Amino acid sequence: MPVKNRFAELLPEITEWRRDIHENPEILFETHRTSALVAEKLAAFGCDEVVEGIGRTGVVGVIKGKSNTSGKTIGLRADMDALPILEATGLDYASKTPGAMHACGHDGHTAMLLGAAKYLSETRNFDGTVVVIFQPAEEGGGGGREMCEDGMMDRWSIDEVYGMHNWPGRPVGSFAIRSGAFFAATDTFEITVTGKGGHAAKPQETIDTTVMASHLVLALQTIASRNADPVEQIVVSVTSFETESKAFNVIPETVTLKGTVRTMSTALRDLAEERLPAIAQGVASTFGGTVNVNYMKGYPVMVNHDEQTEFAASVATKVSGACEEAPLVMGGEDFAYLLEERPGAYILVGNGDTAAVHHPEYNFTDEAIPAGCSWWAEIVEQRLSAG
């Protein structure tokens, strides 16, 4: 694999950073220690500007090339936050914070971008400016949105932006990408059905919310099977069914359903938002009950831009020898907000045969670091070629 020799040399140091971050996970916007560590490293590397507090706890570093005749600025983004999961890896550097762990590899993303920043600060072999973006709260908090709302893109005149995520199941250091819609929009819902509670021995005197909610769970699947075009991608999942009673002989007054809707287009997302409450109202009316629906929009569809995707794939091919077509991913990714602001691309780098992300036994594979660092560095040096 023709990774840059400098990253092979830096691997022990970058690995040490990664494992320190892994050992000290922080959730959502509470990345105070991680953000401080990142800012300290960027300053020590000699970045021309280091700014903290963008998007609450985000950090931005600016690295200027040997020249700037291009006048262009490239953004590189890594996420820093961990997940509220109890780690079960048994590693020497396992989480020291009960109930929090880096179960998605953001420790690896942060360490790789730090490695790329160190190299780019040393060499500056490019014509333009690099902005390295360290983002909090990717795991549901919308940290990318908040950094954009803080004016990050305009403040540093970012022209294009690139991101990366490790991918278990792919060979270590290999790459995959796709143009267009890539990661799904991630909406959530909460539905409370209300009937008339009573004794389980006298169902005729009740409006049975358990039966009502059970029918609703099944009826919601018709959004995918009967409302959506069969060639479109949509997942409607009811993930929680809670009654107000824990007794064996009580028909509860209320039942609350929670779940998620995943879509790959704005039109289908709007359809789901329209049909879900309509179906809920219809089912509740059929059984003589009432319903309250709270539909909450989450991350938008993450859409890779064609030109930047083609470029990112060519860089990945140079680094690892190939870049495959990635499958659609029904998970969400708030890099979507950055790609709504500027053209860019998001790529997957192989993490090997490991536990899946969001699993308590997951761990980022340090052997992937040179490939990831090389990709980011090559993005800059090729896009802002000094030659």
Side-chain angles (χ1 to χ4, degrees):
M1 180 184 296
V3 300
K4 290 184 177 294
N5 290 335
R6 181 62 175 138
F7 293 122
E9 296 169 0
L10 288 172
L11 180 56
E13 185 177 5
I14 299 172
T15 297
E16 185 178 340
W17 303 339
R18 202 280 294 183
R19 295 184 178 187
D20 176 70
I21 294 169
H22 185 95
E23 196 172 5
N24 296 278
E26 296 170 303
I27 294 171
L28 292 173
F29 290 98
E30 300 302 313
T31 58
H32 302 292
R33 182 188 185 277
T34 308
S35 298
L37 173 68
V38 165
E40 179 186 347
K41 295 291 183 189
L42 294 177
F45 299 159
C47 287
D48 297 282
E49 185 180 3
V50 179
V51 180
E52 300 178 69
I54 305 298
R56 298 199 225 177
T57 48
V59 182
V60 169
V62 178
I63 308 167
K64 296 179 181 179
K66 291 179 178 178
S67 58
N68 190 25
T69 59
S70 71
K72 293 181 179 179
T73 300
I74 300 294
L76 308 176
R77 173 273 205 175
D79 34 20
M80 301 186 291
D81 58 318
L83 283 157
I85 293 176
L86 182 63
E87 183 162 352
T89 63
L91 295 165
D92 292 341
Y93 53 87
S95 170
K96 295 191 296 188
T97 305
M101 77 167 286
H102 273 288
C104 205
H106 296 184
D107 51 341
H109 304 163
T110 297
M112 287 191 294
L113 188 52
L114 282 174
K118 182 179 177 69
Y119 167 84
L120 292 168
S121 296
E122 290 173 349
T123 59
R124 300 181 185 262
N125 188 31
F126 53 92
D127 178 49
T129 304
V130 178
V131 175
V132 287
I133 302 162
F134 294 86
Q135 179 208 304
E138 190 282 323
E139 297 289 356
R145 179 187 61 241
E146 296 219 10
M147 293 188 82
C148 288
E149 289 177 349
D150 261 2
M152 173 180 69
M153 294 299 191
D154 291 334
R155 178 172 175 177
W156 285 285
S157 302
I158 296 172
D159 296 300
E160 297 179 350
V161 64
Y162 295 87
M164 183 193 308
H165 203 293
N166 77 95
W167 210 248
R170 289 200 56 79
V172 174
S174 66
F175 291 93
I177 198 170
R178 71 180 299 118
S179 187
F182 192 176
F183 280 60
T186 57
D187 300 334
T188 56
F189 60 85
E190 181 172 305
I191 304 172
T192 300
V193 295
T194 303
K196 181 181 178 183
H199 200 292
K202 299 179 178 181
Q204 74 280 7
E205 297 178 2
T206 73
I207 298 175
D208 193 332
T209 51
T210 303
V211 172
M212 191 189 316
S214 297
H215 277 265
L216 179 53
V217 170
L218 296 178
L220 290 178
Q221 296 308 310
T222 63
I223 298 174
S225 66
R226 287 298 176 267
N227 298 141
D229 187 324
V231 302
E232 297 280 354
Q233 292 82 25
I234 179 171
V235 178
V236 180
S237 297
V238 176
T239 57
S240 176
F241 190 118
E242 300 176 348
T243 77
E244 64 176 4
S245 171
K246 304 300 180 186
F248 287 95
N249 60 350
V250 173
I251 292 174
E253 188 90 4
T254 64
V255 170
T256 299
L257 304 178
K258 296 178 184 178
T260 180
V261 178
R262 308 296 176 110
T263 51
M264 277 291 181
S265 72
T266 300
L268 196 53
R269 189 184 196 190
D270 292 343
L271 172 68
E273 185 180 13
E274 174 189 339
R275 291 300 299 146
L276 189 141
I279 291 170
Q281 292 286 354
V283 170
S285 177
T286 296
F287 287 93
T290 60
V291 66
N292 180 70
V293 178
N294 185 17
Y295 193 95
M296 298 157 281
K297 282 195 168 181
Y299 295 169
V301 180
M302 192 193 76
V303 181
N304 271 347
H305 296 251
D306 292 345
E307 179 191 347
Q308 286 72 25
T309 301
E310 183 178 354
F311 169 66
S314 70
V315 172
T317 300
K318 179 177 180 179
V319 171
S320 68
C323 185
E324 295 184 5
E325 175 89 355
L328 290 169
V329 179
M330 297 309 286
E333 169 54 63
D334 85 342
F335 191 68
Y337 293 112
L338 281 71
L339 290 176
E340 287 185 334
E341 294 270 338
R342 294 293 189 273
Y346 192 75
I347 200 166
L348 307 180
V349 61
N351 200 58
D353 186 17
T354 65
V357 294
H358 292 224
H359 190 282
E361 294 182 358
Y362 165 86
N363 186 38
F364 180 84
T365 300
D366 293 318
E367 288 73 17
I369 287 173
C373 291
S374 294
W375 182 79
W376 261 319
E378 287 286 352
I379 285 285
V380 172
E381 292 182 344
Q382 290 192 41
R383 204 60 163 174
L384 302 177
S385 173

